Amino acid sequence: MGRIIDRYVFRELLSPFTMGVGVFTFFLVIDRIYHLTELVITKGVPFFLVLALLGFTLPSFLALTLPMALLVAVLIVGGRLAADTEVTAFKASGVSPLRLLRPFLAAGLVVTLISGALSIWIAPMGNRMFQRQLFKILQSRAATGLKERIFSASFGQFTIYVQDISPSQVALKGLLVSDERDPALSRVIVAKEGRLLTDEEQGRITLRFIDGQISEADVDGRRARFTDFSLYDMNLPLESPLSNASQREKPERDLPLTELGPQARDLAAQGQLVSPYYVEFHKRFALPVAAIVFVLVGFPLGIRSQARGGGGRGLALAVSLGIVVSYYMVFTTLEGMSLRGRVPPWLGIWLPDAIFLVAGLLLIAATTVGMPTGWVHRLWHLRDVFRARIPAWRIPWRRSEE
């Protein structure tokens, strides 16, 4: 009978879990989809390249949405079992709620393993592939943005004119560039030859001038300066809503797990901040474990809420959002404290899991074996005594009640 119960619960979990994954993932990636669509419509990037970019970002989002979707599924299935009196029927058949919890925990373990694989290995690899693919797209746009005998304004505040371009799009002849970054200064660069160089590791495209002159003059014409050079490099701006993402601001997200520790030690030897690397290390394990924590919290809430008068899937969704928002508020607060060095990274990252784990175990104990509730009545009694002894003007909310 045990295997029948397990298969039954797994089948019930599958549909709401799949729905939750789709809904939560869509809401997380909708902003990214907007920017990717902009690349197709306004920048002319081929659709299949943009679709590949979206595929590279999905693992990092799925690592977050899988535990969230499981929580919704647990609340929906647990609530339905209670509303249809199946929990009562199981109890009458000798199946305790703890035994009924087992397939939910098994599902949580499976989701934890999948989320862990995504968080630890697949998502960092996807982030690196995303940056490489995006750089290739921007590199292609930079090369095609240069046209022979045409003033090109495709590079932000630079206007570039090229007399001749080699078939490889690398060698250039007869360059003229107007640098308009400083509105108070007129700056023009001319050169006999040039090269379009790319540095994929640094995500940088450089326009190299060979044998030329820089002319600088104030807009009022009072001062002017001419500088001859044999070699001069200018980095071209890579304009994209996605090009300034995590690689520069949070490079630890792209590193493999095995490189986080050595990188942190190297930076520590240079006297730089290393807490983000240790925070990232613990996050890759702590966030997947949230799937099991959510099961322990969601299962007792699901079977208790519907047993007391249900609200169906709407109630399950509302409760799940409350739990998820509470968890991630605590998580982000402690993560920020860890990044600033106020608490150790391991403590700040694992403490939310520990808090919700204890809450889940208490809820399960109250649901399955019962817990004394006298302390709750004493707590409300103390509240009434406190409100009776404190003047009303000190308690703003009492005025509205009166």
Side-chain angles (χ1 to χ4, degrees):
M1 182 177 179
R3 292 185 178 179
I4 296 176
I5 295 175
D6 294 343
R7 288 196 296 269
Y8 174 68
V9 171
F10 288 147
R11 284 197 302 268
E12 292 293 310
L13 285 172
L14 183 59
S15 176
F17 174 72
T18 305
M19 176 193 69
V21 171
V23 171
F24 284 124
T25 304
F26 173 76
F27 280 109
L28 286 180
V29 304
I30 188 170
D31 181 65
R32 187 60 61 92
I33 291 175
Y34 169 77
H35 291 308
L36 292 175
T37 305
E38 184 181 359
L39 289 178
V40 176
I41 297 176
T42 63
K43 308 299 182 182
V45 179
F47 177 75
F48 71 93
L49 293 178
V50 174
L51 193 62
L53 287 177
L54 181 61
F56 294 145
T57 63
L58 281 180
S60 59
F61 290 115
L62 287 174
L64 296 175
T65 58
L66 288 177
M68 296 162 60
L70 180 63
L71 174 61
V72 174
V74 169
L75 286 166
I76 290 176
V77 174
R80 194 197 62 75
L81 292 176
D84 295 344
T85 66
E86 293 186 34
V87 175
T88 304
F90 280 127
K91 289 181 180 179
S93 302
V95 179
S96 68
L98 284 178
R99 173 60 186 85
L100 191 59
L101 174 64
R102 193 168 75 178
F104 289 92
L105 280 177
L109 180 60
V110 172
V111 172
T112 294
L113 293 176
I114 296 175
S115 300
L118 291 170
S119 177
I120 296 171
W121 295 294
I122 301 177
M125 184 186 305
N127 290 339
R128 295 193 299 273
M129 296 177 69
F130 175 86
Q131 295 294 341
R132 285 197 291 267
Q133 182 72 14
L134 180 61
F135 179 76
K136 289 179 181 178
I137 292 174
L138 298 177
Q139 176 184 354
S140 175
R141 286 189 56 236
T144 56
L146 296 177
K147 304 292 185 181
E148 290 183 346
R149 300 175 178 86
I150 294 178
F151 287 92
S152 174
S154 302
F155 302 95
Q157 295 173 310
F158 295 97
T159 301
I160 302 177
Y161 176 87
V162 181
Q163 185 72 23
D164 294 305
I165 303 176
S166 67
S168 64
Q169 301 286 325
V170 174
L172 313 171
K173 289 186 177 181
L175 279 80
L176 185 149
V177 176
S178 174
D179 185 352
E180 302 166 1
R181 289 175 294 179
D182 188 352
L185 182 68
S186 174
R187 193 166 186 263
V188 177
I189 307 171
V190 294
K192 295 180 179 179
E193 297 184 16
R195 298 289 185 272
L196 194 63
L197 309 177
T198 59
D199 185 351
E200 184 173 344
E201 183 177 352
Q202 299 295 329
R204 186 169 55 199
I205 297 178
T206 302
L207 182 59
R208 172 166 291 178
F209 300 89
I210 302 173
D211 293 334
Q213 185 183 71
I214 302 175
S215 303
E216 296 178 324
D218 295 338
V219 291
D220 55 10
R222 293 181 179 180
R223 292 183 300 175
R225 184 175 64 177
F226 302 92
T227 305
D228 295 325
F229 61 83
S230 58
L231 192 67
Y232 179 76
D233 288 344
M234 181 179 71
N235 293 327
L236 296 179
L238 300 180
E239 293 187 350
S240 168
L242 304 171
S243 61
N244 57 352
S246 63
Q247 189 177 33
R248 290 181 303 173
E249 298 175 2
K250 298 182 178 180
E252 66 275 5
R253 293 184 177 180
D254 301 343
L255 292 177
L257 186 70
T258 54
E259 294 184 14
L260 287 172
Q263 183 73 17
R265 288 190 289 271
D266 291 342
L267 292 176
Q270 302 172 18
Q272 299 185 30
L273 183 66
V274 298
S275 57
Y277 292 86
Y278 292 112
V279 167
E280 178 67 21
F281 179 86
H282 289 285
K283 278 177 61 177
R284 295 188 187 181
F285 293 95
L287 288 177
V289 173
I292 295 179
V293 174
F294 287 164
V295 169
L296 294 175
V297 175
F299 175 76
L301 289 178
I303 63 176
R304 287 171 67 91
S305 62
Q306 291 295 332
R308 296 185 176 185
R313 297 194 175 194
L315 177 62
L317 183 60
V319 173
S320 64
L321 288 177
I323 295 173
V324 168
V325 170
S326 301
Y327 175 86
Y328 284 106
M329 284 182 62
V330 175
F331 187 92
T332 54
T333 300
L334 291 172
E335 180 187 8
M337 295 175 65
S338 300
L339 291 173
R340 292 189 293 270
R342 296 183 179 180
V343 297
W346 64 268
L347 179 62
I349 298 302
W350 285 101
L351 188 57
D353 282 350
I355 293 173
F356 281 78
L357 174 64
V358 172
L361 293 176
L362 291 176
L363 287 171
I364 290 174
T367 302
T368 57
V369 300
M371 292 181 64
T373 58
W375 63 274
V376 178
H377 298 293
R378 289 194 293 271
L379 181 61
W380 291 118
H381 175 70
L382 289 175
R383 187 204 66 166
D384 293 336
V385 171
F386 174 78
R387 294 178 63 183
R389 293 186 177 182
I390 301 296
W393 62 270
R394 292 190 179 181
I395 309 179
W397 63 84
R398 287 189 61 183
R399 295 181 179 179
S400 60
E401 293 178 1
E402 296 172 357

